[in-house]
């Protein structure tokens, strides 16, 4: 079968079509078989992980995915440990990695860094987070998780809660939903952290039903999926203001019990105290499973982009 | 110039050069600025501001003797004076009239207002790229960071005008 992923960059979730993602999810499902073993389809490949910004899950799940596919991994996990600390620019760092490796995964605090890296590099570049803008592989695994939980992404009602202004995971998740047919998306945030103009514009252009609301309480009965993100203290000029909103966005077991029985809570993690610990072991919590799904989805993505011979290993494309 | 009766009363025609007409009133100096004209280049220049206009009520006009505008220069003018018309004059006669039109893609002219856009990072070999989202009202979007820019922001983002060739 056709592989539309070969050699492609992954900068934004919007670079992909619904059909592309459905293929990615089918291959991800097959990759689950190799979660605790190996499928040596990328034996001769080297993957560079260029993390200029801290990360736990994203970096480790990329590394795990690469190793389960038999690839080698090089890279760094803090800009301080590289020549960037000596003043080297991004373009030169990328050129060097491009000459060593077959694919580059990059995280950077500047918006557009991954797009720029892709322009400089001749090998494929995957964006693992660029500032507040995009985190496409997170959105891929979020949507995959929903597909596994509900059997569909269409027709569900979503609430995206927290920092919608600076949160790249929330932004990419919203963008990702617009490739499908959600029944409705509630954007739940304090006024200071509302989704950015370009995100709202995109929702309007795509004709996706959405509504901006201040509290989860008022919509809890309507939603199927609650996507929670962290509200960072440093976003608030006034600490008093932060203390005020913090409580209003805390997800408790009592709150969830007012919702549908089948309600699921997702979170890109790390979480601090925005979700009550008692939720962790409840039927609502889907975030640990979501984090685990990062590995098969990234395995599928790496294998497809690098054109691995999956079919000879019994994996249908 | 029959379309500017008031102007011809006070300013003589030019022999060879460009007349930028129908500039929204008060923007003539911005037009000069984005063209990178500071006054020391030696061109003979006439700037008319707030003169009567049938179309606009009031308008500005800029006449530049000795300079024919390049297509890129015409595009920059479109960003701050979308109503402007460009007349190329040779031997006192208008030999070409051009309407200004914002191009679908604008490279290297505008600064991105987002301080953490990669195009604002020091020492990177990168030019800004904006995509035209809407002509009326004028809305542009940074291709790197997604930031939307509207007409009122543009004058400020043009900085010091286009690169000198």
């Amino acid at each position: 079968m056709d592989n539309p992923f070969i050699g492609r960059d992954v900068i934004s979730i919007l670079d992909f079509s619904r059909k592309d993602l459905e293929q990615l999810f089918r291959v991800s499902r097959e990759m689950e078989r190799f979660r605790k073993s190996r499928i040596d389809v990328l034996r001769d490949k080297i993957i560079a992980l260029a993390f200029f910004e801290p990360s736990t899950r994203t970096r480790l799940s990329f590394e795990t995915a690469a190793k389960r596919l038999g690839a080698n991994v090089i890279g760094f996990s803090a800009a301080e440990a590289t020549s960037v600390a000596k003043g080297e620019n991004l373009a030169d760092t990328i050129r060097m990695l491009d000459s060593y490796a077959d694919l580059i995964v990059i995280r950077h605090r500047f918006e557009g860094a991954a797009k720029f890296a892709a322009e400089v590099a001749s090998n494929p570049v995957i964006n693992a987070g660029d500032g507040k803008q995009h985190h496409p592989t997170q959105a891929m695994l979020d949507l995959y998780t929903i597909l596994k939980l509900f059997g569909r992404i269409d027709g569900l009602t979503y609430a995206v809660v927290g920092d919608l202004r600076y949160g790249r995971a929330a932004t990419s998740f919203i963008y990702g939903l617009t490739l499908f047919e959600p029944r409705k998306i509630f954007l739940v945030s304090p006024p200071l952290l509302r989704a950015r103009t370009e995100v709202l514009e995109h929702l309007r252009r795509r004709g996706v039903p959405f509504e901006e609301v201040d509290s989860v309480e008022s919509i809890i009965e309507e939603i199927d999926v609650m996507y929670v993100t962290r509200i960072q203290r440093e976003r608030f000029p006034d600490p008093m203001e932060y203390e005020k909103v913090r409580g209003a966005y805390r997800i408790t077991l009592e709150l969830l019990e007012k919702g549908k029985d089948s309600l699921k809570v997702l979170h890109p993690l790390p979480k601090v105290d925005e979700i009550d610990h008692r939720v962790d072991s409840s039927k609502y919590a889907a975030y640990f499973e979501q984090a685990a799904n990062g590995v098969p989805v990234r395995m599928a993505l790496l294998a497809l982009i690098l054109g691995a011979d999956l079919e000879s290993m019994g994996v249908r494309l | 110039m029959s379309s500017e009766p008031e102007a011809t009363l006070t300013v003589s025609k030019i022999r060879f050069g460009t007349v930028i007409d129908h500039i929204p009133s008060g923007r003539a100096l911005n037009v000069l600025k984005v063209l990178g004209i500071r006054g020391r280049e030696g061109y003979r220049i006439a700037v008319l501001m707030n003169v009567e206009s049938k179309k606009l009520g009031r308008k500005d006009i800029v006449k530049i003797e000795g300079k024919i505008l390049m297509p890129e220069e015409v595009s920059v003018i479109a960003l701050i004076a979308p109503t402007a018309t460009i007349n190329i004059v040779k031997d006192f006669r208008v030999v070409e009239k051009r309407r200004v039109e914002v191009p679908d893609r604008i490279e290297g002219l505008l600064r991105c207002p987002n301080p953490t856009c990669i195009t604002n990072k020091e020492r990177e070999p990168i030019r800004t790229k904006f995509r035209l989202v809407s002509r009326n009202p004028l809305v542009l979007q940074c291709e790197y960071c997604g930031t939307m820019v509207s007409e009122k922001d543009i004058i400020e983002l043009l900085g010091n005008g286009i690169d000198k060739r």
Side-chain angles (χ1 to χ4, degrees):
Chain A
M1 201 181 144
D2 279 357
N3 174 4
F5 286 85
I6 285 191
R8 259 168 99 171
D9 299 315
V10 181
I11 306 303
S12 159
I13 188 79
L14 294 175
D15 298 343
F16 297 87
S17 67
R18 174 183 181 134
K19 201 166 154 249
D20 294 340
L21 293 182
E22 284 169 345
Q23 180 173 14
L24 176 74
F25 298 155
R26 276 200 305 279
V27 176
S28 303
R29 184 72 87 156
E30 302 244 14
M31 288 298 141
E32 303 234 8
R33 287 193 274 142
F34 306 97
R35 245 182 163 155
K36 287 284 183 269
S37 59
R38 259 171 67 160
I39 170 171
D40 273 350
V41 287
L42 295 182
R43 238 189 334 258
D44 53 348
K45 301 291 182 191
I46 292 181
I47 290 167
L49 302 180
F51 279 72
F52 295 87
E53 240 196 2
S55 160
T56 315
R57 251 158 307 276
T58 305
R59 186 172 55 83
L60 290 178
S61 73
F62 263 114
E63 188 164 346
T64 306
K67 288 179 171 167
R68 296 235 180 259
L69 293 166
N72 280 301
V73 174
I74 59 166
F76 51 86
S77 51
E80 291 72 34
T82 69
S83 288
V84 173
K86 301 178 192 163
E88 184 174 56
N89 68 11
L90 177 63
D92 288 359
T93 309
I94 293 300
R95 262 183 216 113
M96 170 206 56
L97 290 174
D98 189 43
S99 71
Y100 298 164
D102 300 286
L103 181 148
I104 300 169
V105 179
I106 178 176
R107 170 171 289 189
H108 200 283
R109 74 180 183 88
F110 274 73
E111 290 87 34
K115 180 180 160 65
F116 178 50
E119 289 168 358
V120 171
S122 55
N123 287 300
V125 170
I126 298 180
N127 185 1
D130 64 326
K132 60 181 187 278
Q133 192 174 212
H134 295 301
H135 195 349
T137 62
Q138 179 70 45
M140 287 168 177
L141 74 93
D142 295 339
L143 293 169
Y144 177 67
T145 303
I146 292 162
L147 185 65
K148 271 175 75 182
L149 290 169
F150 291 88
R152 64 196 166 113
I153 297 166
D154 297 331
L156 301 175
T157 301
Y158 296 85
V160 188
V161 184
D163 183 350
L164 310 185
R165 184 171 174 78
Y166 302 101
R168 60 190 166 209
T171 302
S172 283
F173 180 66
I174 296 167
Y175 280 147
L177 285 178
T178 67
L179 298 170
F180 293 83
E181 289 170 29
R183 198 176 137 92
K184 185 167 183 178
I185 308 175
F186 287 102
L187 303 177
V188 191
S189 72
L192 211 58
L193 299 178
R194 292 255 196 268
R196 299 190 298 277
T197 325
E198 68 264 24
V199 178
L200 299 176
E201 274 300 312
H202 181 78
L203 285 167
R204 283 188 203 108
R205 266 203 309 278
R206 292 264 182 162
V208 177
F210 75 97
E211 190 181 334
E212 296 185 277
V213 294
D214 289 340
S215 94
V216 205
E217 193 90 44
S218 59
I219 51 146
I220 187 75
E221 290 167 21
E222 287 181 61
I223 58 177
D224 299 293
V225 176
M226 186 192 287
Y227 191 96
V228 184
T229 62
R230 189 155 51 99
I231 292 182
Q232 288 167 283
R233 186 189 298 266
E234 55 269 30
R235 300 296 181 208
F236 290 83
D238 179 0
M240 291 286 286
E241 197 58 33
Y242 169 74
E243 291 304 327
K244 255 193 277 170
V245 303
R246 196 169 79 139
Y249 294 86
R250 211 173 130 75
I251 307 304
T252 61
L253 203 52
E254 289 72 27
L255 172 74
L256 296 172
E257 278 163 356
K258 291 182 197 156
K260 291 183 185 176
D261 236 28
S262 56
L263 172 64
K264 295 292 177 208
V265 179
L266 274 74
H267 191 305
L269 305 181
K271 63 183 173 66
V272 184
D273 54 6
E274 58 274 24
I275 299 178
D276 185 344
H277 289 301
R278 291 175 303 148
V279 177
D280 291 358
S281 52
S282 74
K283 63 183 178 190
Y284 304 109
Y287 32 86
F288 298 124
E289 181 183 345
Q290 178 190 0
N293 286 335
V295 174
V297 171
R298 290 183 171 114
M299 283 173 78
L301 188 64
L302 291 173
L304 285 168
I305 290 176
L306 290 172
D309 183 8
L310 290 168
E311 279 167 316
S312 74
M313 303 297 287
V315 175
R316 282 178 302 120
L317 286 190
Chain B
M1 306 273 116
S2 56
S3 62
E4 46 184 88
E6 296 289 323
T8 48
L9 291 176
T10 50
V11 179
S12 62
K13 290 188 174 186
I14 58 173
R15 176 193 287 276
F16 173 86
T18 307
V19 176
I20 308 162
D21 198 356
H22 301 111
I23 300 167
S25 69
R27 301 236 178 128
L29 296 176
N30 296 113
V31 168
L32 286 174
K33 189 178 176 201
V34 301
L35 291 174
I37 294 175
R38 300 285 179 273
R40 291 186 196 145
E41 294 78 7
Y43 303 119
R44 292 173 67 211
I45 296 171
V47 177
L48 290 86
M49 297 182 75
N50 302 313
V51 298
E52 284 70 22
S53 159
K54 281 193 206 108
K55 269 198 245 171
L56 303 173
R58 295 271 173 177
K59 65 174 180 182
D60 289 2
I61 304 170
V62 171
K63 296 186 173 196
I64 309 165
E65 173 100 50
K67 182 177 173 70
I68 304 289
L69 290 190
M70 314 284 285
E72 311 90 274
E73 293 173 310
V74 174
S75 322
V76 216
I77 292 173
L79 291 171
I80 56 162
T83 52
T85 48
I86 312 287
N87 301 304
I88 306 295
V89 177
K90 285 178 183 165
D91 266 336
F92 298 110
R93 285 213 319 271
V94 175
V95 294
E96 193 185 333
K97 268 187 183 285
R98 292 187 205 151
R99 283 210 141 276
V100 299
E101 193 176 53
V102 179
D104 294 334
R105 207 146 179 263
I106 297 138
E107 271 196 59
L109 292 173
L110 297 170
R111 190 170 53 77
C112 180
N114 169 16
T116 54
C117 175
I118 190 70
T119 59
N120 286 320
K121 190 169 174 291
E122 282 180 345
R123 295 190 309 276
E124 297 297 343
I126 187 169
R127 276 156 65 87
T128 60
K129 289 189 195 114
F130 286 84
R131 190 172 65 82
L132 180 69
V133 176
S134 144
R135 274 183 208 284
N136 195 15
L138 184 60
V139 181
L140 307 172
Q141 185 171 29
C142 173
E143 289 191 8
Y144 288 96
C145 75
T147 299
M148 299 259 205
V149 170
S150 61
E151 192 171 352
K152 62 174 173 28
D153 312 318
I154 285 173
I155 292 183
E156 203 178 319
L157 299 174
L158 276 162
N160 289 320
I162 57 178
D163 304 339
K164 279 272 150 231
R165 269 161 298 270

